Amino acid sequence: MDIVLTINGREHRLGVDVRTTLLDVLRERLGLTGSKKGCDQGQCGACTVLMDGQRVLGCFTLAAAAQGAAITTIEGLAGDGAPLHPMQQAFLDHDAYQCGYCTPGQIMSAIACVTEGHARTEDEIREFMSGNLCRCAAYPKIVAAVAQAKLAMGHA
Amino acid sequence: MPDDASWTTIGAAVPRIEGRAKVTGQALYASDEPVANPAFAFLVLSTAARGRIRSFDLRAAQAVAGVLDILTYENVGHEADPPAPHGAGEETTTMQTSRIWHDGQIIGVVVAETYEAAREAAYAVGVEYDAEAPSATFDSPGVQEEVREPGEHKDFAVGDADAAFDAAAVRIDARFGTPTQHHNPIELFTTTCTWHDGSLTVYEPSQFVHGLRGSLAKQLRMDPKRIRVVARHVGGAFGSKGIPSARTAWIAVAARRLNRPVKLVATRGQGYTIATYRAETRHHIRLAAGRDGRLLALRHEGWEVTSRPSDYNVSGTETTARMYACPNILTRVNIVHTDRNTPGFMRAPPDVPYMFPLEVAMDELAEALGMDPVELRRVNDTQTDPATGQAFSSRSLMRCFDQAAARFGWADRTPQPRSMRDGDWLLGWGCAAAAYPANIGAGAARVLLGPDGQATVQIAAHDIGNGSHTIIAQTAAERLGLRLEAVTVQLGDSDLPPAGLAAGSSHASGICHAVAHACEDVRARIAVAATTSNAGPFAGRDPATLILAQGRLRGEDGTAEPLHDALARVTGGALEAYAENIPKGLPPDSVGKLYSGQMAISRGTQREDLTTYAFGAQFVEVRVHARTGETRVSRAVGAFAAGRIINPRTAHSQLMGGMIWGISSALHEATEIDTRAARYVNDNIAEYLIPVNADVREVEAIIVPEQDAEVNPLGMKGIGEIGVVGMNAAISNAVYHATGRRIRDLPIRIEDLL
Amino acid sequence: MRTFGYDHVHGVPDALRAGTDPGAHYFAGGTVLLDLMKLDVMQPGALVNIGDLRGQLGAVALDGDGLHLGALARMAEVADHPAVAQHYPVLAQALHSAASPQLRNMASLAGTVLQRTRCSYFRDTSWDACNKRSPGSGCAAIGGVNRHLAVLGVSDHCIAHYPGDFATALVALGTTVDLQGEDGTRSLPLEELHRLPGDTPHVETTLRPGELITAFHVPAAPWMRRSLYLKVRDRESYAFALASAAVALDLQAGTVRGARIGLGGVAAKPWRSHAAEAALVGRRFDEAAAEAAAAEAFRNAVVHEETGFKPELGRRTLVRALLDAAALEV
């Protein structure tokens, strides 16, 4: 079927198998491989993207059903050579990753965690970042990064 | 010129140099590599665990729109051999024949225009089996148990452990069990294969690109020079990506048949049977001591599950026999053959399962003696390897205990079980020792230094989150006297000089030594050019006295000239140096072995001059709900002495991550097996639990400074594994302290504490 | 995943028309459906995307009759809704404890109420025997790995558990559910929406073909401020319940005037324990009363190989929840 997706401010028209997930369109059709496939079953959060500002899972979103929404992926946060988003910078500053595979999903989820108002305390950050698994287990550093970035993002 | 902090050195806590790529989504993992017009593969796995395939019915699958090819043993079985076995014995086969060795074995590959079509068709493949009842695990009918013969791993018999045990005043005699665990890196097992003029390029997450290349060359009967394996970034591995798996050759065959790139992204569930895992183990420990706490006897017997044909085992008795001074030691390991996929190495492979029983037994012994558990370790500390009688190169076990205990506040512990409480939550404090051999891999590296003062380091190292990019750059920057930004690192590519297997805490030391050697070659050539020149400030000096530092070539008297000027004296104003490093304990052909895809690791347990180990101490606080039994780790402090640390920042992440792995191992992880079908049941990461952010509270990793001139020239011991070791026992000991229940089978679950 | 027809509808009548096609499934968040389609457990012939009906069926309102929840409201927005948190804390807590923030942003209330069991034998098609997936084939979970499965409401044909949190809380509070079909609308107690497995475990609800859940109504009761959801699980978050309790207490001068008790993680469907409620009402509340109620709740529990601990865990979970609820300052 023919679909139109709005990703990082750009419109993409493409023909897809109706079964195709948003994640597979990003990765296999549009070359936006920052969003990762870690389970394809809604269990890890590595494919987290923003749809109209809300964090959702690319693996559980049919591409056809993502039409009409403004989709933001990790590639949409900072262009080549451009300054990093405060959340990206905070992950760098705190070594809030090791292998880096879950990191794009963590960062997209963390941005939403802050904008939702769910980053008021460290306990709240822990709970509301629990949809993103990190097998390297950088969790304490992720919490520190979110706590740093929320201030830079203008949240208390 | 005064020293300038912006000149990075070994030991500086600099951020990862690939950090920006990782936080912007630009870092390319294997399945992110762009290839033109790929077809997509989906694996068909067996649903029988033992027997043979009687027949396939491919009609429905072939009828799915978009299907391009279906591979089974019937049409491609002769085109690829299985990977060589890892460890003794034989490896299971996949599509070579109709034979079924285990549930979830690869029996077919469907290739289609889209992922969706390939998956649909794979589900439509009909298979009839001549199936037999499988043997799933310990105690299943039909398993074959045998004593593991000495080979890669040794047993120890010092003194007379049985007689000493019988005669001792204080004795602990207990049995323990640890479960099956799967690595579950978040990156899935992927393979992309492309052919060009008879040459094969493979993009696959790997901990050993040369190993995978060498294996594929044998499997596909090709010249290894015609194979390239690329893994620029690896999304976690933990051992799972170190051993060549059967899938790769079949994807290569599929791509060759179609003359088109083929891409496989195996599902999370498939990963449980197409790669390896940590096998379940059982243990019988006997520990005896005098009233003063000094150990008199240690007897440790282990049982490990493996597949039907393989003798793979981890034999962690090689560590437990070395932990404490003891005049009578006996170890033995048994392997139990089942109809399962072959296990492999998973983070601290021997020490996670084997240190659990020893360190719980030590806690039990401390209680029986009325001694503090830390003091019991102190009484039995030694600088001599009790199993062999040779010296440890260094051993800072008690410094680790003392620093961690102080930080944790251990002195405030009341020893009586159930004596500490916070409202409805029982508090428990426990501790345990950690240890891991200081291994080091052979390796080779190439350094290119240009007239602009920019260096490129080429080494087929692996960055699996261990910080390889950064420590390579740091080593080169220091040895070449460059700023970190002036060093470009190329790794994860079998076209580069080999760096060996990134596993067993052997990689950082292996690659840093290789890079340091190549840099030394660069320095020496610049120095020779400077000292043999008729002109210039260094004419006639001894080249060995010159160093590269802060963008200059420097003499001992402070004479210096810019690197650019010094480089101008060498031919072309640029240098390329290649060097190999063969660590002590390895034969001279070790780098040649790496090129051919074999491992070359000098083990801390196998040197003939010294025993080399890193040591640590783990302290944890658990909270157990008095009514409903949930157990959470509220605080953990670990202290580790592992020689020279190249980058304390990335090292801290490794150690902390290891400790959290330990929390996971003790409280969460277990692969459940349906014994009727020998099938993994919770083969996903919603039911196979690993910690989420909310599970992790305070986790503190202390790096205890340690200098060791004997272990290797840079004094490095490796830190990838030790963080997880000991946590199983520390948590079990803490749960005992909280509840009075001694849990000897992992993981510790609610039902154990009701 | 098998291929399917895809229909994006913009109004309820269109939805109902499309939804009556055999093999059609309504699709909103998609978090249950896509999961099971990828596993080849579900093979709908057509998906009817009702996401756009959220404008009509997504409202959250509180009035004198109680709380009215549009079926397509998303879990996250209801969890964070101030009126829900204030008047029905048990509902907010159940929602917050379910799944992950991303999934709660996607899943609709109706979708989460209709979520299907996590029984591994249902979810893995390499098991031939599953009466829920393939009627008459048997139950591989009996005699297998069944630690997470049910002890209440099970049958010899199925021991699958209902894994959800929100429906457990909803059912405890006496919620009614509005349904709309081509033949008209009807309402029924939520307790009657899910069926026990009996000898037809594949028939999970009393929904008629093509019927759409449009709303949930939670009765008004000021005392439901004294309510909470306690979820006991193997890890701290993003995990299914081993046992959970949704409780609300009308406590006057130490005596229980009314009680609502739902049990999760232990039952074949969203479980309201009328027996436990009856054991409490009229009694002076103390730990013994809570324990007596818990004993009633699990009186008819049936255990299998690995579920022997679940009645005890379920009792303790309920007792703890009741004690905590009684101690609330409201």
Side-chain angles (χ1 to χ4, degrees), chain B residues 7 61 85 105 160 178 180 221 293 312 328 338 348 351 467 512 580 639 691 709:
Chain B
W7 296 93
Q105 176 183 314
D160 186 339
T178 66
T180 315
R221 300 152 214 148
Y312 181 82
N328 300 289
T338 63
D351 307 288
C512 287
E580 300 183 346

Side-chain angles (χ1 to χ4, degrees), chain B residues 7 222 273 577:
Chain B
W7 296 93
M222 288 173 64
T273 56

Side-chain angles (χ1 to χ4, degrees), chain B residues 12-25:
Chain B
V14 299
R16 288 171 206 264
I17 63 170
E18 80 287 13
R20 185 180 169 102
K22 283 180 171 169
V23 301
T24 55

Side-chain angles (χ1 to χ4, degrees), chain A residues 27 31-36 46 73-80 84 88 97 100-105 107-108, chain B residues 18-29 32-33 233:
Chain A
R27 292 183 53 77
L32 296 171
T33 54
S35 304
K36 303 301 186 199
T73 72
I74 189 78
E75 291 91 347
L77 297 184
D80 278 347
L84 295 174
Q88 294 173 308
Y97 45 61
Y101 194 79
C102 72
T103 305
I107 288 172
M108 300 312 288
Chain B
E18 80 287 13
R20 185 180 169 102
K22 283 180 171 169
V23 301
T24 55
Q26 300 305 310
L28 290 183
Y29 300 79
D32 302 339
E33 298 274 358
H233 293 276

